[in-house]
Protein backbone atom coordinates (compact mmCIF):
# COMPACT_ATOMS: atom_id res chain seq x y z
CA UNK A 1 0.00 0.00 0.00
CA UNK A 2 1.36 3.39 -1.02
CA UNK A 3 0.48 6.56 0.89
CA UNK A 4 1.02 10.12 -0.21
CA UNK A 5 3.13 12.26 2.07
CA UNK A 6 0.00 14.21 2.98
CA UNK A 7 -1.77 11.01 4.03
CA UNK A 8 1.19 9.90 6.11
CA UNK A 9 1.54 13.33 7.74
CA UNK A 10 -2.13 13.23 8.73
CA UNK A 11 -1.66 9.85 10.43
CA UNK A 12 1.55 10.94 12.16
CA UNK A 13 -0.08 14.16 13.36
CA UNK A 14 -2.97 12.19 14.83
CA UNK A 15 -0.54 9.89 16.65
CA UNK A 16 1.26 12.91 18.06
CA UNK A 17 -1.81 13.75 20.15
CA UNK A 18 -2.56 10.31 21.62
CA UNK A 19 -0.85 8.01 24.08
CA UNK A 20 0.81 4.88 22.59
CA UNK A 21 -1.77 2.44 23.96
CA UNK A 22 -4.02 -0.24 22.49
CA UNK A 23 -6.95 2.13 22.94
CA UNK A 24 -5.14 4.70 20.80
CA UNK A 25 -4.46 2.05 18.17
CA UNK A 26 -8.19 1.34 18.01
CA UNK A 27 -8.86 5.05 17.62
CA UNK A 28 -6.31 5.14 14.82
CA UNK A 29 -8.09 2.34 12.96
CA UNK A 30 -11.43 4.10 13.44
CA UNK A 31 -9.99 7.40 12.21
CA UNK A 32 -8.46 5.91 9.05
CA UNK A 33 -10.68 2.93 8.13
CA UNK A 34 -9.58 2.89 4.50
CA UNK A 35 -5.95 2.20 5.39
CA UNK A 36 -4.55 -1.28 5.91
CA UNK A 37 -4.45 -2.30 9.58
CA UNK A 38 -0.95 -3.73 9.17
CA UNK A 39 0.25 -0.44 7.67
CA UNK A 40 -1.31 1.57 10.49
CA UNK A 41 0.25 -0.75 13.08
CA UNK A 42 3.67 -0.38 11.47
CA UNK A 43 3.39 3.44 11.42
CA UNK A 44 2.10 3.39 15.00
CA UNK A 45 5.13 1.34 16.12
CA UNK A 46 7.63 3.50 14.27
CA UNK A 47 6.22 6.76 15.61
CA UNK A 48 6.35 5.31 19.12
CA UNK A 49 9.99 4.31 18.61
CA UNK A 50 10.80 7.85 17.48
CA UNK A 51 9.15 9.24 20.60
CA UNK A 52 11.16 6.89 22.83
CA UNK A 53 14.41 7.90 21.10
CA UNK A 54 13.62 11.60 21.55
CA UNK A 55 13.03 11.24 25.29
CA UNK A 56 15.52 8.45 26.03
CA UNK A 57 18.23 10.70 27.46
CA UNK A 58 16.08 12.42 30.07
CA UNK A 59 15.00 9.08 31.52
CA UNK A 60 18.59 7.91 31.93
CA UNK A 61 20.07 10.71 33.99
CA UNK A 62 21.36 9.65 37.40
CA UNK A 63 18.63 11.70 39.08
CA UNK A 64 15.83 10.17 37.00
CA UNK A 65 17.07 6.61 37.51
CA UNK A 66 17.27 7.07 41.28
CA UNK A 67 13.81 8.66 41.39
CA UNK A 68 12.24 5.81 39.39
CA UNK A 69 13.98 3.18 41.51
CA UNK A 70 12.89 4.67 44.83
CA UNK A 71 9.33 5.15 43.58
CA UNK A 72 9.27 1.54 42.48
CA UNK A 73 10.49 0.32 45.86
CA UNK A 74 7.98 2.50 47.71
CA UNK A 75 5.16 1.34 45.47
CA UNK A 76 5.96 -2.34 45.90
CA UNK A 77 6.23 -1.93 49.68
CA UNK A 78 2.75 -0.40 49.78
CA UNK A 79 1.16 -2.98 47.50
CA UNK A 80 3.24 -5.78 46.00
CA UNK A 81 0.38 -6.82 43.70
CA UNK A 82 -0.05 -3.36 42.16
CA UNK A 83 1.20 -2.70 38.58
CA UNK A 84 3.83 -0.29 39.89
CA UNK A 85 6.14 -0.38 36.86
CA UNK A 86 3.30 0.02 34.38
CA UNK A 87 1.75 2.93 36.28
CA UNK A 88 5.13 4.65 36.64
CA UNK A 89 5.95 4.20 32.94
CA UNK A 90 2.57 5.57 31.88
CA UNK A 91 2.94 8.54 34.22
CA UNK A 92 6.28 9.63 32.74
CA UNK A 93 5.31 8.57 29.20
CA UNK A 94 8.00 5.93 28.79
CA UNK A 95 7.95 2.34 27.52
CA UNK A 96 7.12 -0.11 30.36
CA UNK A 97 9.78 -2.58 29.18
CA UNK A 98 12.46 0.12 29.25
CA UNK A 99 11.29 1.31 32.65
CA UNK A 100 11.63 -2.26 33.91
CA UNK A 101 15.16 -2.38 32.54
CA UNK A 102 16.10 0.85 34.33
CA UNK A 103 14.84 -0.52 37.63
CA UNK A 104 16.53 -3.90 37.11
CA UNK A 105 19.89 -2.37 36.20
CA UNK A 106 19.71 -0.07 39.22
CA UNK A 107 18.91 -3.07 41.44
CA UNK A 108 21.82 -5.12 40.07
CA UNK A 109 24.13 -2.15 40.38
CA UNK A 110 23.25 -2.00 44.06
CA UNK A 111 24.10 -5.71 44.32
CA UNK A 112 27.35 -5.11 42.38
CA UNK A 113 26.10 -7.14 39.43
CA UNK A 114 25.57 -4.34 36.96
CA UNK A 115 24.54 -5.32 33.44
CA UNK A 116 26.73 -3.68 30.78
CA UNK A 117 25.00 -1.39 28.26
CA UNK A 118 24.08 -2.80 24.87
CA UNK A 119 26.57 -0.56 23.07
CA UNK A 120 28.92 -3.27 21.79
CA UNK A 121 28.58 -3.21 18.04
CA UNK A 122 30.85 -5.28 15.85
CA UNK A 123 33.16 -2.72 14.28
CA UNK A 124 33.87 -3.27 10.66
CA UNK A 125 30.91 -5.57 10.18
CA UNK A 126 30.06 -5.51 6.52
CA UNK A 127 26.31 -5.27 5.98
CA UNK A 128 24.86 -6.81 2.87
CA UNK A 129 21.41 -6.85 1.25
CA UNK A 130 18.98 -9.69 1.98
CA UNK A 131 19.48 -11.07 -1.52
CA UNK A 132 22.34 -10.54 -3.96
CA UNK A 133 21.32 -11.80 -7.40
CA UNK A 134 23.82 -13.91 -9.31
CA UNK A 135 21.95 -13.02 -12.46
CA UNK A 136 20.57 -9.45 -12.63
CA UNK A 137 16.88 -8.97 -13.39
CA UNK A 138 14.81 -6.13 -14.76
CA UNK A 139 11.81 -4.75 -12.86
CA UNK A 140 9.66 -2.14 -14.61
CA UNK A 141 12.54 -1.48 -16.96
CA UNK A 142 15.13 -1.03 -14.17
CA UNK A 143 18.09 -3.36 -13.71
CA UNK A 144 18.22 -4.96 -10.25
CA UNK A 145 21.30 -6.58 -8.68
CA UNK A 146 20.06 -6.91 -5.10
CA UNK A 147 16.86 -6.96 -3.05
CA UNK A 148 16.35 -5.64 0.48
CA UNK A 149 13.21 -6.57 2.41
CA UNK A 150 11.83 -4.31 5.15
CA UNK A 151 8.96 -5.56 7.34
CA UNK A 152 7.86 -2.01 8.07
CA UNK A 153 6.24 1.07 6.57
CA UNK A 154 8.64 3.33 4.68
CA UNK A 155 8.27 6.75 6.27
CA UNK A 156 10.51 9.69 5.47
CA UNK A 157 12.88 9.55 8.45
CA UNK A 158 13.41 5.78 8.45
CA UNK A 159 13.89 5.68 4.67
CA UNK A 160 16.47 8.48 4.76
CA UNK A 161 18.32 6.61 7.51
CA UNK A 162 18.26 3.41 5.46
CA UNK A 163 19.52 5.29 2.40
CA UNK A 164 22.46 6.66 4.33
CA UNK A 165 23.30 3.55 6.34
CA UNK A 166 22.49 0.79 3.88
CA UNK A 167 20.99 1.43 0.45
CA UNK A 168 23.61 3.74 -1.05
CA UNK A 169 26.33 1.47 0.31
CA UNK A 170 24.68 -1.48 -1.42
CA UNK A 171 24.40 0.58 -4.60
CA UNK A 172 28.10 1.46 -4.49
CA UNK A 173 29.13 -2.18 -4.04
CA UNK A 174 26.58 -4.11 -6.08
CA UNK A 175 24.86 -1.63 -8.38
CA UNK A 176 21.13 -0.77 -8.54
CA UNK A 177 18.67 -2.62 -6.35
CA UNK A 178 15.12 -3.07 -5.13
CA UNK A 179 13.73 -2.27 -1.68
CA UNK A 180 10.42 -3.85 -0.65
CA UNK A 181 8.49 -2.17 2.18
CA UNK A 182 5.93 -4.85 3.00
CA UNK A 183 3.61 -2.43 4.84
CA UNK A 184 3.78 0.30 2.21
CA UNK A 185 5.68 3.56 1.90
CA UNK A 186 5.23 7.26 1.17
CA UNK A 187 5.06 7.30 -2.60
CA UNK A 188 7.11 10.49 -2.93
CA UNK A 189 10.10 8.60 -1.53
CA UNK A 190 10.31 6.47 -4.69
CA UNK A 191 12.35 9.19 -6.37
CA UNK A 192 15.71 7.47 -6.89
CA UNK A 193 14.75 5.01 -9.61
CA UNK A 194 16.97 6.64 -12.23
CA UNK A 195 19.86 6.62 -9.76
CA UNK A 196 19.38 2.93 -9.04
CA UNK A 197 17.11 2.36 -6.04
CA UNK A 198 13.58 1.13 -6.74
CA UNK A 199 10.83 0.95 -4.10
CA UNK A 200 7.92 -1.52 -4.09
CA UNK A 201 5.27 -2.55 -1.56
CA UNK A 202 5.11 -6.17 -2.71
CA UNK A 203 7.25 -8.64 -4.61
CA UNK A 204 7.14 -7.70 -8.30
CA UNK A 205 5.48 -10.08 -10.75
CA UNK A 206 6.92 -8.58 -13.91
CA UNK A 207 10.51 -9.72 -13.40
CA UNK A 208 12.61 -10.27 -16.51
CA UNK A 209 15.77 -12.38 -16.14
CA UNK A 210 18.41 -10.75 -18.28
CA UNK A 211 20.30 -13.94 -19.15
CA UNK A 212 17.08 -15.57 -20.36
CA UNK A 213 16.06 -12.45 -22.24
CA UNK A 214 19.42 -12.16 -23.98
CA UNK A 215 19.40 -15.88 -24.96
CA UNK A 216 16.13 -15.44 -26.83
CA UNK A 217 17.54 -12.74 -29.07
Amino acid sequence: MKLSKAQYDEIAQFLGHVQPTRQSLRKLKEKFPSQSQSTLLSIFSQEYQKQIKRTHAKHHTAEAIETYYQRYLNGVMKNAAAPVLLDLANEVDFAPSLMARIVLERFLQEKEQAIPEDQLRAKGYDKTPDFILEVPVAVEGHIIHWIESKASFGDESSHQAYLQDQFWSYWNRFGPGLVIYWYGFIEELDCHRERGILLKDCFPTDIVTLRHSMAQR
Side-chain angles (χ1 to χ4, degrees):
M1 173 177 288
K2 298 180 184 179
L3 271 65
S4 68
K5 188 175 186 304
Q7 289 174 312
Y8 175 82
D9 287 344
E10 185 181 4
I11 295 173
Q13 185 177 13
F14 176 82
L15 289 174
H17 294 88
V18 298
Q19 292 292 321
T21 63
R22 292 185 178 182
Q23 290 76 15
S24 296
L25 182 57
R26 280 197 290 269
K27 292 179 182 178
L28 180 66
K29 294 176 181 178
E30 293 172 358
K31 176 72 174 179
F32 303 98
S34 63
Q35 304 298 345
S36 163
Q37 290 192 14
S38 56
T39 295
L40 292 176
L41 178 59
S42 181
I43 296 174
F44 179 90
S45 300
Q46 288 171 210
E47 289 300 312
Y48 184 46
Q49 290 174 19
K50 292 177 191 176
Q51 175 186 331
I52 293 299
K53 289 178 181 179
R54 286 194 298 267
T55 61
H56 184 273
K58 76 174 186 179
H59 295 294
H60 284 77
T61 64
E63 181 180 1
I65 290 173
E66 191 62 27
T67 297
Y68 297 156
Y69 184 59
Q70 294 304 324
R71 288 191 59 183
Y72 167 76
L73 293 179
N74 292 334
V76 171
M77 287 181 63
K78 291 179 181 178
N79 184 357
V84 179
L85 280 174
L86 182 59
D87 291 343
L88 179 56
N90 288 337
E91 180 183 333
V92 299
D93 199 17
F94 198 49
S97 59
L98 296 180
M99 179 61 73
R101 176 170 179 166
I102 288 176
V103 171
L104 177 59
E105 288 183 345
R106 174 63 182 82
F107 171 78
L108 293 175
Q109 185 180 41
E110 190 173 84
K111 301 299 181 181
E112 299 182 349
Q113 299 175 16
I115 300 175
E117 291 292 326
D118 293 334
Q119 296 177 349
L120 299 178
R121 296 183 179 180
K123 295 183 179 180
Y125 178 76
D126 197 8
K127 293 182 178 180
T128 58
D130 291 330
F131 301 97
I132 301 174
L133 305 178
E134 293 184 2
V135 179
V137 299
V139 176
E140 298 178 5
H142 297 272
I143 305 301
I144 299 300
H145 289 268
W146 52 268
I147 299 174
E148 178 74 4
S149 177
K150 296 296 184 186
S152 62
F153 180 87
D155 63 31
E156 192 166 11
S157 61
S158 61
H159 182 67
Q160 292 303 323
Y162 286 139
L163 279 171
Q164 180 178 347
D165 297 338
Q166 297 180 21
F167 302 159
W168 289 128
S169 175
Y170 299 163
W171 181 88
N172 284 330
R173 293 180 56 203
F174 306 110
L178 167 67
V179 178
I180 303 175
Y181 283 110
W182 291 105
Y183 295 113
F185 58 89
I186 297 176
E187 59 184 350
E188 286 88 343
L189 297 178
D190 190 17
C191 58
H192 298 297
R193 290 189 168 208
E194 299 307 316
R195 296 183 61 187
I197 295 180
L198 178 71
L199 302 187
K200 296 283 288 183
D201 59 354
C202 61
F203 198 83
T205 58
D206 56 345
I207 293 178
V208 177
T209 303
L210 298 187
R211 179 184 294 174
H212 177 70
S213 177
M214 292 176 64
Q216 288 184 324
R217 293 182 180 180

